[in-house]
Amino acid sequence: MGGKGTFGPGTPRKANYVSELLDGVWKVERTGGALPPLPGVSKRIHGRSGRTIFPGLPPMAFEVRGLSLHYKPPFNGLVDVLEPDGGDSFRGRATIGGRTFGHFAMRRQPMGTELEAQLVKHIDEAVAMEQSVLRMLDGMISTTEDDEIRGALRRHKLETQEHAERMQKRLEAHDTTPSMMREAGGILGALMKSVLDLARPEKAGRNARDGFATEHMEIASYELLARIAERAGDEETAKAAREIIVEEQRMADEIAANWDRFAELSLHEAGVVTA
């Protein structure tokens, strides 16, 4: 059994390490068996999901489980089994029903596609971040008694849903789907822990504090994403990130304009009367 902090069999840290090892864009070449020629074929892997891309054909989606790629419907039963081959290379066996029918090699593609892989990682993290913020906003809305503040939170929840959808579409533009293993990557972990404590006192002030901090965390994330997208030549993603920044900044400004009100509400909730 793996102890705490080890890479014992089946531990989450080992799974994360293997997934990161496979993250990227890979050129695929046939090396034997019944596989057809594979000119122009590539695999795009990110976290626990990936796709095999055939030029001119719909991509074949798969789930990453350790060093095996399990294809999704309608290709059930098809599994690629990988074995490290030194450096950024893998040997692969194409199997169906557990029987090998072909062999291939996978080699990581050079800098240009590595830049795209980094871009995809940041878009994916933005999707996870927005999903976390949606849950955070639900917690804020349920613990806010002031009608005006609740209305502002509900409006921003609609904006946040749109932000998540825009980032999901940008992932799809890169033939990738959101990775469930990147639950915001710790970006909002501490904030989520405090915001979802629904029984805490002084909810108005703490909600405002956490919301203000979260908006600026999102702004920072999208500023970084916009610049990486520009360097990767993805103007659509850069444009989406900058437009989202405007809405995040507007929400942060709305909170900042009401600090006195939040302070009074917080003191009132705590039973403190001021002159």
Side-chain angles (χ1 to χ4, degrees), residues 8-266:
T11 62
R13 289 183 65 190
K14 182 176 181 180
N16 290 352
Y17 171 77
V18 172
S19 295
E20 291 171 2
L21 183 67
L22 292 175
D23 273 3
V25 181
W26 302 82
K27 181 180 180 181
V28 181
E29 298 176 354
R30 175 186 178 276
T31 58
L35 286 173
L38 302 174
V41 174
S42 64
K43 292 185 187 291
R44 297 171 184 255
I45 301 175
H46 185 54
R48 290 184 181 173
S49 63
R51 296 185 178 188
T52 298
I53 311 297
F54 292 86
L57 296 174
M60 297 170 60
F62 55 77
E63 177 184 353
V64 179
R65 302 179 191 172
L67 288 176
S68 61
L69 315 178
H70 295 251
Y71 284 83
K72 299 179 180 180
F75 305 103
N76 314 60
L78 182 61
V79 178
D80 289 341
V81 180
L82 306 178
E83 181 181 346
D85 193 27
D88 286 336
S89 300
F90 285 86
R91 293 190 300 273
R93 293 187 293 110
T95 72
I96 188 164
R99 296 188 176 185
T100 301
F101 65 89
H103 298 268
F104 62 90
M106 270 174 42
R107 294 179 176 82
R108 194 187 298 273
Q109 295 192 18
M111 279 302 294
T113 51
E114 287 184 8
L115 176 58
E116 182 183 4
Q118 286 297 310
L119 171 60
V120 167
K121 182 186 77 169
H122 282 271
I123 300 173
D124 186 38
E125 289 175 350
V127 174
M129 178 177 68
E130 296 293 6
Q131 293 297 335
S132 291
V133 172
L134 282 171
R135 294 194 296 274
M136 188 186 84
L137 287 169
D138 283 337
M140 286 181 167
I141 291 167
S142 70
T143 58
T144 298
E145 297 176 359
D146 185 279
D147 289 339
E148 186 175 345
I149 296 172
R150 189 185 297 113
L153 291 171
R154 285 174 173 162
R155 287 194 300 274
H156 192 56
K157 180 180 177 181
L158 293 176
E159 290 178 339
T160 301
Q161 289 171 333
E162 182 182 353
H163 299 168
E165 291 170 1
R166 291 187 75 177
M167 289 296 103
Q168 287 175 0
K169 288 179 180 178
R170 296 315 305 152
L171 274 183
E172 292 168 4
H174 290 273
D175 297 315
T176 308
T177 55
S179 169
M180 293 300 101
M181 68 178 292
R182 295 190 186 275
E183 279 294 309
I187 293 175
L188 298 172
L191 293 175
M192 285 294 297
K193 185 177 185 298
S194 63
V195 170
L196 295 181
D197 179 8
L198 304 185
R200 69 189 184 182
E202 305 173 36
K203 294 183 287 291
R206 291 173 185 267
N207 279 349
R209 179 201 66 188
D210 295 342
F212 189 76
T214 299
E215 293 306 320
H216 284 87
M217 188 73 75
E218 290 185 273
I219 290 167
S221 297
Y222 281 116
E223 290 282 9
L224 183 60
L225 172 58
R227 286 160 174 76
I228 292 174
E230 287 171 348
R231 285 161 173 74
D234 184 352
E235 294 299 329
E236 285 296 317
T237 296
K239 179 174 181 288
R242 296 197 184 284
E243 290 175 352
I244 289 171
I245 288 170
V246 172
E247 295 186 344
E248 305 292 9
Q249 186 63 61
R250 184 164 59 234
M251 185 62 189
D253 291 344
E254 187 168 356
I255 295 172
N258 287 280
W259 280 124
D260 288 335
R261 183 178 185 181
F262 290 126
E264 289 298 325
L265 286 169
S266 182

